[in-house]
């Protein structure tokens, strides 16, 4: 975190080492120091958001990711049933993972499954009456905590934040794909090297 000396902001010394970004837009006078500061602040804030999410989940006696799934089904789709795939895309999880977590919500009586009469291969999801009642119960707590998460920003700031997220969301998806590809290539390379070493 930056500190101030005589009113002047002093950035922490991140130490020597190669640049972690190369795009000019992300560099400040050839340094990635501002970028690193922003990333650490962003991750720190994301942890606060996740802590709030986990707090909501505790009130419903479910896990944080299950709360997230429940809210996507309830808030984004409302009374219109949605598919597991649609929810998985919103939560950025695999369909296989989603299926497991949705089944847990079904077992708790918070979500119900119903067949899609237009496509028998799909199963549609909807929050149950009990699920809606539980969410209504914790709504006052949600309002208090969510207000606290964004207490310093104005309406204009909030609109700008929404626009910025709309720009960043596809970048995040692409970055995950790039990460997965690189990691898999490195794993295969190490595995191949290990096999060659065992044969020598």
């Amino acid at each position: 975190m930056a500190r101030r000396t005589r009113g002047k902001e002093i950035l922490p010394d991140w130490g020597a080492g190669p640049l972690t970004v190369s795009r000019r837009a992300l560099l400040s006078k050839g340094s990635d120091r501002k970028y690193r500061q922003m990333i650490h602040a962003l991750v720190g804030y994301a942890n606060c958001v996740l802590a709030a999410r986990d707090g909501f989940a505790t009130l419903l006696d479910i896990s944080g990711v299950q709360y997230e799934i429940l809210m996507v089904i309830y808030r984004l789709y409302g009374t219109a049933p949605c598919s597991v795939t649609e929810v998985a895309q919103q939560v950025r999880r695999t369909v296989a993972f989603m299926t497991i977590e949705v089944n847990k919500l079904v077992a708790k009586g918070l979500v119900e499954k119903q067949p899609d009469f237009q496509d028998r291969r799909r199963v549609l999801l909807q929050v149950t009456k009990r699920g809606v009642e539980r969410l209504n119960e914790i709504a006052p707590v949600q309002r208090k905590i969510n207000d606290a998460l964004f207490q310093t920003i104005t309406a204009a700031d909030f609109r700008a934040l929404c626009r910025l997220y709309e720009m960043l969301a596809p970048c995040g998806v692409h970055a995950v794909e790039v990460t997965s590809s690189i990691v898999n290539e490195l794993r295969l390379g190490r595995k191949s090297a290990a096999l060659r070493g065992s044969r020598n």
Side-chain angles (χ1 to χ4, degrees):
M1 180 179 292
R3 57 188 175 84
R4 290 185 177 274
T5 300
R6 294 180 181 177
K8 183 180 179 181
E9 184 181 64
I10 305 297
L11 291 175
D13 183 5
W14 298 113
L19 292 175
T20 55
V21 288
S22 59
R23 292 192 63 230
R24 283 189 177 184
L26 304 177
L27 296 172
S28 177
K29 296 180 180 180
S31 170
D32 66 349
R33 192 165 56 166
K34 270 285 189 182
Y35 172 81
R36 297 306 322 161
Q37 182 189 30
M38 181 274 296
I39 284 294
H40 290 303
L42 184 62
V43 171
Y45 185 75
N47 288 336
C48 294
V49 173
L50 290 176
R53 181 200 68 174
D54 291 345
F56 298 144
T58 299
L59 297 176
L60 297 174
D61 192 29
I62 57 179
S63 71
V65 71
Q66 287 165 11
Y67 167 81
E68 195 173 343
I69 292 168
L70 185 65
M71 288 301 290
V72 167
I73 298 171
Y74 182 54
R75 291 298 189 186
L76 291 189
Y77 296 97
T79 57
C82 56
S83 70
V84 174
T85 301
E86 288 171 326
V87 180
Q89 290 171 344
Q90 287 289 334
V91 184
R92 312 295 187 196
R93 301 276 187 166
T94 65
V95 172
F97 175 85
M98 286 293 303
T99 300
I100 293 172
E101 296 304 319
V102 165
N103 286 338
K104 293 176 182 177
L105 289 171
V106 171
K108 287 182 175 290
L110 300 175
V111 170
E112 61 183 0
K113 292 180 177 180
Q114 52 187 274
D116 184 347
F117 296 109
Q118 295 181 343
D119 186 349
R120 293 288 182 176
R121 295 169 298 179
R122 294 204 321 163
V123 174
L124 299 178
L125 308 173
Q126 197 165 14
V127 177
T128 62
K129 181 180 178 181
R130 178 171 183 268
V132 172
E133 290 173 350
R134 295 300 312 280
L135 287 173
N136 286 338
E137 288 172 7
I138 70 167
V141 179
Q142 287 176 310
R143 288 192 291 270
K144 186 173 183 178
I145 294 175
N146 287 331
D147 285 350
L149 280 172
F150 298 95
Q151 64 181 340
T152 60
I153 69 173
T154 64
D157 293 333
F158 180 66
R159 290 193 296 270
L161 181 63
C162 290
R163 287 195 297 271
L164 185 60
Y165 176 74
E166 288 173 1
M167 294 169 60
L168 286 176
C171 298
V173 174
H174 178 61
V176 170
E177 293 171 350
V178 172
T179 302
S180 179
S181 176
I182 292 173
V183 169
N184 287 336
E185 286 179 8
L186 289 174
R187 283 176 176 171
L188 287 173
R190 289 172 183 170
K191 188 175 181 179
S192 297
L195 288 173
R196 287 195 300 272
S198 64
R199 290 170 184 166
N200 294 336

